[in-house]
Amino acid sequence: MTEAALAFHRRIDAALADAGLRRALALTAGRLAGGRAAAFDALTDADACRDDARRARAGAIARLDSLLDQFAREASARGCTVHWAETAADARRIITGIARERNIRLAVKSKSMATEEVELNEALEQAGVRVVETDLGEFVVQLAADRPSHIIAPIVHLSRQDVATLFQEKLGATAADVADIPSMTALARRLLRAEFLQAGMGISGVNLAVADTGSLCIVTNEGNGRLTSTLPRVHVALLGLERIVPGAADLAAVLTVLARSATGQASSVYTNVMTGPRRHHGGPGAGPAGEPDGPEELHIVILDNGRSRVLGTPLAEILYCVRCGACLNACPVYRLIGGHAYGGVYPGPVGSVVMPGLHGLEDWSELAHASSLCGACRDVCPVKIDLPHLLLEVRREAASRQLAPLWIRAAMPAYSAVATRPRLYRWAGRAAARLARLLQQDGWIRRLPGPLGAWTASRDFPAPAARSFVEEHQARKAAAR
Amino acid sequence: MTPRPTRVQLFVTCLVDRFFPAAGHAAVEVLERYGVEVHVPSDQTCCGQPAFNGGFAADAAAMARTTIDVLSHSVDPVVVPSGSCADMIVNHYPGLLAGDAAYGPKAKALAARTYEFSQFLVDVLGVDPAAAPSGPTLAYHASCHGLRGLGLREQPRRLLHAVAGERSADLPDAETCCGFGGLFAVKMGPISSAMLDSKLDAIERSGADVVVATDVSCLMHIGGGLHRRGSRVRARHIAEVLADPGHD
Ligand code: SF4
């Protein structure tokens, strides 16, 4: 096994041993999954809605190049500055550059997994820009010097008490400040308001870009997204290059299923569509007085960072993903080990395809094995991504590059060689059964050798039958004749 | 409407053949009870799922070809007492052999006439088993691939309810994976065990005497866990329950 795979297994063991984590996960992921189920049950044509959303995403990915060109053109025409970042380092360089040139000291951020992916905060801090996370969950993550463990619920791994303790330690909060969730929220809001007013730059991700108008759609449940994108003078939006739709109709198709899948809401509390920076006078729709708010500069950084690598491959379907997090909440593995164990920015079923697909099989293919292929993720994905199939594709690619453990690499071809020769198979089956029966005690084996010992660590294994079904069946038929 | 088949081929799967022959014999008994002649091709081996799920496509394809050969001597429907192996044949063989000019079409033809056992009983034969006057309380665990791959939701429940009636226990999270997943159980032993633990807790809390499933793979996992715990609950295949519903 590679060092990366071993590290993954160590993180799994640590997560499984953490009872508090298991409780917190069961609670929040369970609540989100329940909300999602109720929201879709309430839709009369839930399946058709998912089909529409899938069609919108599939259509966009099929002509991604031309949509991106169109988007860049339209956004530029409306006064945006469009940047292209091929790698995470490019994105960091571009954004820190924007900050440096404008002498920006403070940036406020709304929640964005893409900025996590490129590790933007660290880069900005190094460039002398203080970064403040304004999404409540991300605010807590930042305070704890932690990492988000879920795509949409970054602190799913923490309990309310964990957060209360953190606020008392780091913010000097009083007992009254942390008495309940509304009080804690109020405290964070007080602290953040001052930051919003002083920040020179706002940073956000993008849920979906709309090609024909060059618009950015950002959905949030807290007002922070809107404040981030309207108050500071400069706004930077980091857009994963696959997150695009041709027009408003397809945007609507995706929004219909997005919040329902994420939290069970019919729609998020704030659905923000930004088209260009603030228009001052007389522009179309701006009125004679101009727009009352909005950034003076709107920079859009279009991020590749491995995404184009999967275009045209069997993994391309993962680019349909709209990062709702439903597959995490549905996944029995995620619900046990949580997001940090996966080791990458994107955990759960989607992460187990995204990380190896976009960021390299060598380091990440083991993630694709952390699934029983039960298919619960596919059942909830709002764009019907066949996640188990994609996990199999990753496993296939990994196997072809000799990344599977040696014993499996040896066992599979051997098993296949035997199973394709029925007479040899019967003979070998009898021999193996005889051998295995030496280990049994009243029909069960309590301890298996080698790698199979992982089974008997917690479960008994049935002893093989002395006579196989086919043999016995033939004997019975012969006797009956 | 196609006429009711009078003959089937039984593909028992490698696990039934070697580990749970009783489930195979029970499947024969039940099918014969409903007037179906059962042919057991003696050359049958393994559907190839272990290799397929491990990412070893070439090895899986080789086993798929063998299985297709074994089951193509006749055009009789194929009945499989395992949702995941039936799912493999129905939903994965055609894709796996799509580029194979000789076996691609055969894979599709086989997929079209392959059924999981309870699916065949309900959807094809339309059986409605008689209620058993007494017997153990049953809980039903929905095996993942049958459930999500073949849409087996109502069929097994209907059969079990017909024989057990009020003696049906409600299993919480019946549609959550037991953590078997083939090699997953070994490669990811600790996660698999933790998933199993939740399943076993739910089973024991349900008050059932017997937990029933359509797949012996899950039953081998759940049964092995119950045995390790020293639980009084036993794991049985749906064919065994239908063959002898009073047995506990
Ligand atoms: S893969 Fe599907 S379910 Fe998972 S985050 Fe993406 S859109 Fe949501």
Side-chain angles (χ1 to χ4, degrees):
Chain A
M1 233 186 284
T2 62
E3 184 44 46
L6 287 170
F8 180 38
H9 285 270
R10 281 194 298 272
R11 289 192 303 269
I12 290 171
D13 291 342
L16 288 173
D18 185 342
L21 171 68
R22 303 252 308 252
R23 252 195 317 277
L25 277 170
L27 200 73
T28 310
R31 197 182 58 226
L32 290 170
R36 184 244 165 235
F40 276 86
D41 283 348
L43 276 179
T44 44
D45 48 357
D47 208 51
C49 290
R50 289 168 70 209
D51 285 334
D52 284 347
R54 180 180 172 87
R55 214 171 295 124
R57 294 298 296 135
I61 299 305
R63 52 192 185 98
L64 189 55
D65 272 355
S66 69
L67 283 184
L68 284 169
D69 282 345
Q70 185 191 11
F71 171 76
R73 224 173 27 245
E74 296 299 333
S76 305
R78 286 164 178 80
C80 300
T81 313
V82 177
H83 311 257
W84 299 85
E86 198 183 320
T87 64
D90 291 340
R92 290 192 295 265
R93 187 176 41 71
I94 292 165
I95 299 172
T96 51
I98 296 169
R100 202 175 286 124
E101 282 160 22
R102 288 156 188 80
N103 221 352
I104 284 160
R105 293 267 150 260
L106 173 64
V108 283
K109 262 184 78 194
S110 69
K111 189 176 152 28
S112 149
M113 290 308 291
T115 60
E116 290 289 332
E117 179 186 329
V118 304
E119 299 180 335
L120 183 61
N121 290 11
E122 294 81 347
L124 282 169
E125 300 277 353
Q126 269 168 30
V129 182
R130 192 161 68 83
V131 183
V132 177
E133 294 285 354
T134 65
D135 171 89
L136 190 57
E138 295 287 352
F139 175 78
V140 172
V141 167
Q142 190 178 35
L143 208 55
D146 202 347
R147 291 228 162 239
S149 69
H150 188 290
I151 299 175
I152 62 139
I155 51 170
V156 62
H157 58 291
L158 298 178
S159 69
R160 188 170 70 84
Q161 191 49 51
D162 292 335
V163 178
T165 310
L166 184 73
F167 276 19
Q168 287 176 309
E169 278 171 12
K170 297 277 166 119
L171 302 174
T174 64
D177 286 335
V178 297
D180 49 24
I181 291 177
S183 312
M184 288 194 272
T185 311
L187 171 64
R189 181 169 295 158
R190 270 198 311 279
L191 294 170
L192 288 173
R193 190 156 301 157
E195 310 280 24
F196 275 122
L197 293 172
Q198 282 166 29
M201 178 187 266
I203 301 170
S204 70
V206 179
N207 288 91
L208 284 166
V210 185
D212 65 359
T213 53
S215 308
L216 303 172
C217 177
I218 301 168
V219 302
T220 62
N221 274 327
E222 301 163 21
N224 69 315
R226 192 163 285 188
L227 291 174
T228 302
S229 60
T230 50
L231 287 180
R233 217 187 63 79
V234 179
H235 188 78
V236 177
L238 184 59
L239 166 68
L241 62 68
E242 83 285 17
R243 304 287 283 278
I244 192 162
V245 284
D250 283 355
L251 174 65
V254 174
L255 290 181
T256 302
V257 292
L258 180 56
R260 287 184 165 90
S261 300
T263 56
Q265 295 160 285
S267 80
S268 302
V269 177
Y270 298 89
T271 299
N272 228 9
V273 178
M274 291 174 86
T275 305
R278 179 174 179 185
R279 276 163 290 190
H280 279 283
H281 44 75
E291 290 174 336
D293 61 10
E296 301 298 326
E297 292 180 46
L298 178 51
H299 295 266
I300 302 169
V301 181
I302 302 179
L303 176 70
D304 186 337
N305 201 27
R307 288 163 172 79
S308 60
R309 222 203 243 191
V310 298
L311 278 173
T313 77
L315 295 183
E317 195 184 342
I318 201 62
L319 298 180
Y320 302 178
C321 173
V322 291
R323 303 282 190 267
C324 71
C327 58
L328 279 56
N329 306 327
C331 177
V333 173
Y334 176 88
R335 286 169 77 148
L336 283 171
I337 66 174
H340 291 157
Y342 290 84
V345 187
Y346 303 103
V350 58
S352 302
V353 178
V354 166
M355 296 309 296
L358 275 57
H359 305 297
L361 280 174
E362 280 70 18
D363 285 343
W364 299 105
S365 67
E366 189 73 359
L367 267 53
H369 289 277
S371 163
S372 63
L373 302 178
C374 77
C377 49
R378 180 182 48 208
D379 275 8
V380 298
C381 177
V383 290
K384 294 193 171 178
I385 297 174
D386 191 346
L387 287 155
H389 175 74
L390 297 185
L391 292 171
L392 277 173
E393 289 289 349
V394 173
R395 291 183 185 185
R396 233 176 247 191
E397 196 51 42
S400 76
R401 298 206 208 160
Q402 315 291 322
L403 286 167
L406 192 63
W407 70 274
I408 294 178
R409 257 155 49 207
M412 277 309 159
Y415 180 56
S416 167
V418 175
T420 48
R421 294 172 179 78
R423 287 180 53 193
L424 176 62
Y425 179 83
R426 299 261 146 244
W427 178 85
R430 268 196 303 277
R434 211 167 298 146
L435 211 62
R437 286 177 65 80
L438 296 175
L439 301 172
Q440 65 137 351
Q441 249 174 22
D442 28 284
W444 294 92
I445 298 169
R446 296 190 67 87
R447 204 157 154 193
L448 283 166
L452 298 177
W455 179 290
T456 45
S458 64
R459 304 147 276 201
D460 291 337
F461 194 82
R467 205 163 193 186
S468 77
F469 165 78
V470 172
E471 288 162 353
E472 174 67 21
H473 180 77
Q474 283 173 332
R476 287 184 191 184
K477 286 276 150 193
R481 268 200 294 272
Chain B
M1 226 178 96
T2 44
R4 187 178 193 274
T6 54
R7 256 174 64 104
V8 299
Q9 308 184 77
L10 184 67
F11 179 67
V12 284
T13 77
C14 57
L15 288 180
V16 166
D17 190 39
R18 263 299 153 196
F19 291 94
F20 301 92
H25 298 303
V28 173
E29 187 184 329
V30 172
L31 288 163
E32 286 178 346
R33 184 189 298 165
Y34 292 110
V36 176
E37 187 188 326
V38 180
H39 174 61
V40 177
S42 62
D43 279 356
Q44 57 180 280
T45 64
C46 166
C47 70
Q49 203 180 168
F52 183 76
N53 286 351
F56 296 82
D59 297 321
M63 288 189 258
R65 287 190 196 95
T66 301
T67 301
I68 290 170
D69 284 340
V70 166
L71 297 173
S72 299
H73 295 310
S74 105
V75 293
D76 290 333
V78 173
V79 175
V80 189
S82 155
S84 74
C85 305
D87 176 57
M88 178 73 196
I89 295 174
V90 171
N91 290 320
H92 299 303
Y93 274 15
L96 187 60
L97 297 170
D100 185 325
Y103 280 87
K106 289 190 201 178
K108 276 195 195 149
L110 177 62
R113 59 190 167 86
T114 296
Y115 303 88
E116 182 277 332
F117 174 74
S118 68
Q119 182 185 38
F120 185 76
L121 290 182
V122 173
D123 295 351
V124 180
L125 297 184
V127 310
D128 189 9
S134 65
T137 299
L138 309 178
Y140 174 66
H141 162 72
S143 298
C144 299
H145 291 178
L147 174 70
R148 302 193 180 89
L150 302 172
L152 284 184
R153 189 166 253 126
E154 290 312 315
Q155 301 92 324
R157 290 181 200 274
R158 199 185 299 170
L159 293 169
L160 293 173
H161 192 76
V163 298
E166 294 302 302
R167 297 186 309 279
S168 305
D170 190 26
L171 181 62
D173 298 321
E175 295 186 355
T176 299
C177 180
C178 74
F180 172 69
L183 273 181
F184 171 78
V186 175
K187 275 208 76 174
M188 295 284 166
I191 301 178
S192 166
S193 300
M195 290 165 74
L196 178 61
D197 265 334
S198 310
K199 181 60 68 177
L200 298 181
D201 290 345
I203 290 170
E204 295 205 296
R205 273 200 313 268
S206 76
D209 305 307
V210 172
V211 56
V212 189
T214 54
D215 284 48
V216 294
S217 47
C218 315
L219 291 171
M220 146 171 166
H221 195 225
I222 292 171
L226 289 169
H227 191 259
R228 174 64 61 93
R229 278 191 181 192
S231 170
R232 59 168 198 91
V233 183
R234 279 162 320 284
R236 302 188 77 201
H237 189 267
I238 189 165
E240 295 176 273
V241 173
L242 295 177
D244 187 3
H247 185 289
D248 54 17

